[in-house]
Amino acid sequence: MQIFFKCNGEWVHQNEHVSEESLDESSGLKVREVFINVTRQQVEDFHGPEDYWCQCVAWSHLGTSKSRKASVRIAYLRKNFEQDPQGREVPIEGMIVLHCRPPEGVPAAEVEWLKNEEPIDSEQDENIDTRADHNLIIRQARLSDSGNYTCMAANIVAKRRSLSATVVVYVNGGWSSWTEWSACNVRCGRGWQKRSRTCTNPAPLNGGAFCEGMSVQKITCTSLCPVDGSWEVWSEWSVCSPECEHLRIRECTAPPPRNGGKFCEGLSQESENCTDGLCILDKKPLHEIKPQSIENASDIALYSGLGAAVVAVAVLVIGVTLYRRSQSDYGVDVIDSSALTGGFQTFNFKTVRQGNPLLLNSSMQPDLTVSRTYSGPICLQDPLDKELMTESSLFNPLSDIKVKVQSSFMVSLGVSERAEYHGKNHSGTFPHGNNRSFSTMHPRTKTPYIQNLSSLPTRTELRTTGVFGHLGGRLVMPNTGVSLLIPHGAIPEENSWEIYMSINQGEPSLQSDGSEVLLSPEVTCGPPDMTVTTPFALTIPHCADVSSEHWNIHLKKRTQQGKWEEVMSVEDESTSCYCLLDPFACHVLLDSFGTYALTGEPITDCAVKQLKVAVFGCMSCNSLDYNLRVYCVDNTPWAFQEVVSDERHQGGQLLEEPKLLHFKGNTFSLQISVLDIPPFLWRIKPFTACQEVPFSRVWCSNQQPLHCAFSLERYTPTTTQLSCKICIRQLKGHEQILQVQTSILESERETITFFAQEDSTFPAQTGPKAFKIPYSIRQRICATFDTPNAKGKDWQMLAQKNSINRNLSYFATQSSPSAVILNLWEARHQHDGDLDSLACALEEIGRTHTKLSNITESQLDEADFNYSRQNGL
């Protein structure tokens, strides 16, 4: 018995057959198994009217038998979905249908739905059906069904994700019941009364329609007018009485008061002497009679009045004296009353006198020469301030160090002509058991103290180096967004250079002119005397929002004399260099090394800087206190890395993932406040709940981090959880909320990573492994497109398909325009997942260029896999 394979109508060579024989234990018959291996290359090289097929043929003396044909196909899964799900807005209890047609693939892809990145199980939710032709059907929409839905397609080759579709389930508003009619709005005459209802049954939600109709109804009403009373005329005088008086009366009846009118004003009865002083008592005129009892009563009244007056004056004098003394004892002198509204002002509390029960330490001895500054809510930007304002001075409202602030907008320590230091040794008990001691500092001892401060370690630059040769490579500064691409062939053969790259971490040397703003770090690459034959690509991150045309962005270079000169405007046409501006970085093609930076000039008030806001927390020296530090930094990875480095040094913990804030150039300031602090568990110290940062300090921050400090205090040590919100908003601008939910205990705290994606652990990559496009494919692309074509199907098409449509005259001056375009693509797609964009461009162009038809998608996938594996991605 013999068995052979036939593939595509041709017999397979006998040497490629592998045969195994065994004995069937049940029947005792001999079993022969023969198999062959079919490689991917064989299938790709086969060109025929049908798929690659094989069948086996067995024969013996009994006859011949053939198997059915077995087809061999290469499994694949296309990149793009034939139909992506589309977002929907539906009313509550409405039906939702999301369509999904997965990419073409062999074998056919299986579809799975995700909601907010979590798989949907239709068997557990009867309201959801995912079985109908890959579509997602929600029979009755609920509020909980709102979210982002993604269609996942997968087979044995790969997994593909569709675009996310946002589903919003909205609720239309409904009216509540009418209130009772109000009272008539006038006391007299014709008026109106009203009743109202609110659109809260239910309230509109998620963009639902507001209630139709009126929320207020009015009707007319009539109120009786009040009538004020009036006196009748006086009656006749009565007869003279034995007391020599007669009376007359009148009544309030002309008219009487009605409907709430006023009663008559004045007396209703009047009396007077009826004898004109001639009335006789005991044979004497009445005005001459002065009985002894009357004289005694008059004297008593006179002396009583004088005594009461003396007592009143004495009490008044004593009260004023005590009041002035109490104000002096309390001793508060507010330097700047605007501090009561938050912000960055300071309060100067004079040392108190002994025995005042209102102050924190009433046992402290008086010292009228010492002044204590309460540094309340302070936001810092100066690097020296940031180093010196430690927990004991910045984050505790009653600081150990005595600083008398001369300006309410400048707080610093140990700087000549900006602060005074006073102090005597005191001991006392402060709240919560904090023992404080004050050190003595006289003017003659200031110099060594300032020297100690200046000796603190300061970083002036972040630096990385690598040695590169003819094969080129990539130099990356981890977690800064700054990288340098040295193309293949830029350095002559048999030569090698040690190339360095650094970022200025000190004060920016670029001083902004007028309305110009520094948008990026100052990046230096060198050595400056090195020359390259092909432009290198420098990637610099920036913090401008380039989605709208409100910026005029410039590339500047520092000269050897230290001055900054403009190289070009990003929107200008130039043949000396090329700038490609992306949403978060600028990729620059340059011929010379040096120090470069990006600046921006806002054209309108709608120009936006992107700020990254983050909150860190740590325990203070007092076990009951907890410090929150809120940072606002320009949205460049390097600027945030500075914050991370400082917080690691101080033991800070990131409490919430950082968020982006769009800060407009509309001159309105930035407000930072702490909200929703749990009552009875935590309290915030006075004057620190809301702080305001002036517009100029945020807009012209020059890549320097700006932060505000908030000090919270626990009521009891048993409180270990903190939950609150940090609101960062620009007046008449964007707002972000940072939700803090953390444990102040190290063992229970959840760690949030500082960087979502770490750069390569090897800053210097040399040779082919530094490039995503293999050198062989690069050569074939350049050979195809460098030759000019009358129909424009040359390097200009390659640039256009890769979204490079501006300043094409720069590439025309290069010896190999295609190579420079590919170098720019390499710099632009350093962190991309794969070669999708280039593969799509080549697939479209390959329909008209036969030279590119053999660059298959599988080859690019293999190249991308090798690049990822070599770089540990």
Side-chain angles (χ1 to χ4, degrees), residues 285-477:
L286 186 63
H287 63 277
E288 295 180 1
I289 299 175
K290 294 183 180 180
Q292 186 66 31
S293 60
I294 296 178
E295 292 181 358
N296 294 339
S298 299
D299 293 341
I300 293 174
L302 175 62
Y303 295 143
S304 298
L306 291 177
V310 171
V311 171
V313 172
V315 169
L316 180 62
V317 171
I318 293 173
V320 171
T321 303
L322 292 177
Y323 175 79
R324 295 186 60 182
R325 181 173 299 175
S326 66
Q327 293 300 308
S328 176
D329 287 347
Y330 189 68
V332 179
D333 178 18
V334 179
I335 293 179
D336 192 343
S337 62
S338 63
L340 297 176
T341 61
F344 309 92
Q345 321 307 327
T346 57
F347 295 84
N348 186 18
F349 288 90
K350 297 177 182 177
T351 304
V352 302
R353 298 182 181 179
Q354 183 177 4
N356 192 340
L358 298 177
L359 299 183
L360 296 176
N361 186 4
S362 60
S363 62
M364 185 177 294
Q365 295 299 320
D367 184 357
L368 301 180
T369 64
V370 179
S371 66
R372 181 179 308 148
T373 296
Y374 168 49
S375 300
I378 298 178
C379 289
L380 296 179
Q381 187 182 31
D382 194 305
L384 178 60
D385 299 342
K386 181 173 61 178
E387 293 290 340
L388 298 181
M389 298 295 282
T390 59
E391 283 188 2
S392 62
S393 61
L394 174 60
F395 303 119
N396 200 325
L398 293 177
S399 173
D400 292 351
I401 302 177
K402 308 301 180 297
V403 185
K404 185 174 182 180
V405 181
Q406 303 298 337
S407 170
S408 62
F409 289 94
M410 177 63 70
V411 181
S412 59
L413 303 180
V415 181
S416 60
E417 298 182 359
R418 290 200 295 177
E420 289 181 23
Y421 291 80
H422 310 278
K424 284 189 177 183
N425 292 333
H426 294 286
S427 63
T429 302
F430 278 74
H432 320 300
N434 246 1
N435 293 328
R436 307 298 182 100
S437 60
F438 303 111
S439 59
T440 304
M441 182 173 296
H442 300 286
R444 62 175 177 271
T445 63
K446 285 184 181 180
T447 301
Y449 181 76
I450 296 176
Q451 290 176 353
N452 291 336
L453 293 176
S454 62
S455 65
L456 290 173
T458 58
R459 295 161 293 175
T460 58
E461 67 175 18
L462 189 65
R463 184 184 179 95
T464 184
T465 60
V467 178
F468 299 90
H470 182 70
L471 297 180
R474 193 190 301 268
L475 190 61
V476 178
M477 197 164 294

Side-chain angles (χ1 to χ4, degrees), residues 112-115 118-131 136-137 139 142 149:
E112 179 186 20
W113 283 90
L114 303 179
K115 176 190 173 185
E118 295 293 333
I120 297 176
D121 189 355
S122 59
E123 295 182 357
Q124 296 183 358
D125 192 345
E126 297 180 353
N127 194 38
I128 298 178
D129 184 7
T130 58
R131 297 170 294 178
L136 175 67
I137 300 176
R139 297 184 179 89
R142 302 157 296 192
Y149 289 82

